[in-house]
Amino acid sequence: MTASSRGCSRTASRLLYSSRPTITPRIHLNTPCIHRIPTPRTYAVAASTFKPLDGPSSHLPHIDSAPPITPSPGATTYKISTGIILSRPPLLTKSATPFEKAFYLYQKRLNERLVLPFTRYFYHKKDQPADIEWKARVKERNGVAARDIGGYKAYGDEGWNDEVLIGGTDSKVGEWDEIAGKLVEEGMGEEGERVKLEKREGEEDKKSLARKLEETVYLVVKGKGKGMDKEGKEIEVDVWEFPRGDMMGNEVLHTATQRILTETAGENMNTWIVGHVPIGSLTIKPSKKFNREAEKVFYMKGRIMAGQADLKGNAYGAQDFMWLTRSEIEGLVTKRFWSQICGMLGGR
C-alpha cells in the first residue's frame, strides 16, 4: 500500500466514526481507499446442532447381512540362511562350429594367397640337415610351407578353390577337423595325451574336476528330504541341491558361507568367495504337513582353484556330491527349485 492510500484510509475512518456532530464534507475517495475502510460487525450467527433428516434409512439389507471385514493376517516370517554356488570355470576354449571352422580355414588360405612365396634357400643351405628336414616336412604338406591350411597351393592351378564346402560330398568336407587334430597332437605332445586321458576318464566320473573342460561345472550335494509316494504316505527322498546352512550369531553372509562350505565339503579345497553380495535367493514356503518353516536362502558365488570335496564327517548330513554342468543340473533337480536358481548359473 502506498503512502497516499494509507492517508486516505486514516482520514475516512476518523470522519465516519467520530462521536462529535460534525458536518460531513464531501470527500471523493478512490477505489483502494473504499475497499480498505473497516466496517463494524452488526450481528453474529450462533452455531446450531446438526439434525438428521427425517426419512427412510440409508442402510441396504444386503450390506447389513454381510459378514464383518476382518484384517488380513500378518506377513510370513522367514528364517534367513545362506548357501554357496561353487563352480569351476571352463579350462578350454569352446569347440568351434562347422561354419567357424570353415571361416578360419578360408582366412588362413586367403592370407597364403596374399603373401610372397616362401624362399627356402634364404633360410636353409642346400643339402644341409635343416634343408633335408625341410624337404621331408614339405612333402607331407603337399609342397606347402604352412602346416595349417591343408596342403592348399596358393600359386597353383587350384589357387582359386580356397573354400571348404559345408555339407558337400567332395573330399574337402571335414578337412579342417583333420588339420586341427594334427596341430593339437604336434603342439601338445605328451601333455596333450595326459589332458585327453584325464578328459576321457572324467567324462565317466562326475566327481572329477577334469570333466567337461569346455563348460562350467558346479558342486551339488545329496541330502535327505521329505516327500509323498503314490499312496500319499510321507517318505524320505534324495534331494540334490547346493550346499547351504543356517547363520549363527552375528555372522554376515560371506563369512557364514565360508564356514558352511568347510563344514560340508571339508578343508581340502582352495576356494574363493566372490564378493560380499549374494547373486540370488531361494524362497522355501512353509508346510505344516512336512513340519517345514518358511525360509529364504541367499546364495553367494564361489570359485574352486584346487583340491576336492570331502564329505566325510560333514555337519549337514550330505551323502554324496557331483560336479555337474548347467544342463545336467536342470535334469536332476525339481522344476520348482530350477525355476528359482537357473538365473544364478552362467550360460556356459
Side-chain angles (χ1 to χ4, degrees):
M1 182 183 295
T2 61
S4 60
S5 299
R6 289 195 298 271
C8 293
S9 299
R10 194 176 297 111
T11 303
S13 300
R14 290 178 180 178
L15 292 176
L16 291 176
Y17 304 112
S18 176
S19 58
R20 293 180 297 177
T22 56
I23 299 174
T24 304
R26 293 183 179 181
I27 301 176
H28 298 280
L29 303 177
N30 56 10
T31 303
C33 294
I34 295 175
H35 286 295
R36 289 174 174 79
I37 295 176
T39 56
R41 185 174 180 180
T42 57
Y43 63 93
V45 179
S48 60
T49 306
F50 173 77
K51 295 181 180 180
L53 298 176
D54 296 333
S57 175
S58 60
H59 296 288
L60 300 178
H62 65 280
I63 295 180
D64 294 337
S65 61
I69 299 176
T70 57
S72 58
T76 306
T77 302
Y78 289 88
K79 181 181 71 173
I80 302 299
S81 59
T82 182
I84 180 171
I85 299 181
L86 188 66
S87 62
R88 186 227 66 199
L91 301 180
L92 297 180
T93 305
K94 187 178 180 180
S95 300
T97 62
F99 175 79
E100 292 173 338
K101 295 176 182 178
F103 174 78
Y104 293 134
L105 181 58
Y106 169 73
Q107 292 295 326
K108 291 179 180 295
R109 290 180 173 179
L110 181 62
N111 179 72
E112 188 71 13
R113 293 175 61 183
L114 298 178
V115 299
L116 294 175
F118 180 76
T119 306
R120 178 180 48 159
Y121 294 112
F122 181 80
Y123 297 96
H124 309 300
K125 292 184 179 181
K126 190 175 182 179
D127 297 332
Q128 294 295 317
D131 183 52
I132 297 174
E133 183 180 1
W134 160 258
K135 290 179 180 179
R137 290 293 183 89
V138 81
K139 186 177 181 180
E140 296 176 358
R141 301 173 188 173
N142 197 21
V144 181
R147 64 174 183 172
D148 54 355
I149 60 175
Y152 166 73
K153 294 183 178 181
Y155 295 95
D157 296 336
E158 294 290 328
W160 59 271
N161 190 13
D162 55 0
E163 297 183 4
V164 176
L165 303 179
I166 301 300
T169 57
D170 56 1
S171 60
K172 299 182 69 175
V173 177
E175 188 175 2
W176 173 252
D177 291 329
E178 298 178 3
I179 298 171
K182 292 180 180 179
L183 290 178
V184 171
E185 293 176 1
E186 292 178 8
M188 300 186 70
E190 296 180 358
E191 183 69 15
E193 293 296 330
R194 185 183 65 81
V195 171
K196 288 192 293 183
L197 178 61
E198 290 183 356
K199 184 177 180 181
R200 184 166 56 252
E201 293 178 349
E203 291 295 335
E204 303 298 332
D205 184 11
K206 292 187 177 181
K207 294 184 179 181
S208 173
L209 279 170
R211 65 184 304 267
K212 299 290 184 180
L213 299 180
E214 298 178 358
E215 301 180 59
T216 302
V217 292
Y218 303 89
L219 175 65
V220 293
V221 296
K222 183 177 73 172
K224 288 294 184 180
K226 295 181 180 180
M228 303 290 290
D229 60 4
K230 295 181 179 180
E231 299 178 356
K233 296 181 180 180
E234 182 179 336
I235 58 174
E236 283 191 352
V237 294
D238 294 334
V239 178
W240 288 93
E241 60 181 356
F242 301 115
R244 65 181 178 92
D246 298 335
M247 301 179 66
M248 300 174 59
N250 296 326
E251 283 184 325
V252 292
L253 288 176
H254 67 280
T255 56
T257 300
Q258 186 65 59
R259 174 185 58 80
I260 292 169
L261 179 61
T262 303
E263 293 177 353
T264 303
E267 299 180 352
N268 189 26
M269 289 192 300
N270 185 5
T271 58
W272 170 43
I273 306 299
V274 183
H276 294 177
V277 181
I279 60 174
S281 64
L282 171 69
T283 302
I284 301 176
K285 295 184 178 181
S287 175
K288 294 182 179 179
K289 181 183 296 185
F290 299 121
N291 193 20
R292 182 179 63 202
E293 59 181 339
E295 183 178 359
K296 280 189 178 291
V297 185
F298 292 92
Y299 285 103
M300 304 291 290
K301 180 180 179 180
R303 292 288 199 189
I304 181 171
M305 293 167 280
Q308 182 57 283
D310 183 12
L311 303 184
K312 185 177 180 180
N314 70 88
Y316 295 94
Q319 301 175 353
D320 198 2
F321 74 93
M322 290 190 295
W323 294 96
L324 303 179
T325 62
R326 176 189 173 97
S327 58
E328 292 172 338
I329 293 175
E330 182 180 4
L332 183 66
V333 300
T334 61
K335 292 183 178 180
R336 186 171 184 177
F337 181 79
W338 174 253
S339 64
Q340 297 191 63
I341 60 96
C342 62
M344 309 179 203
L345 309 182
R348 175 179 171 234

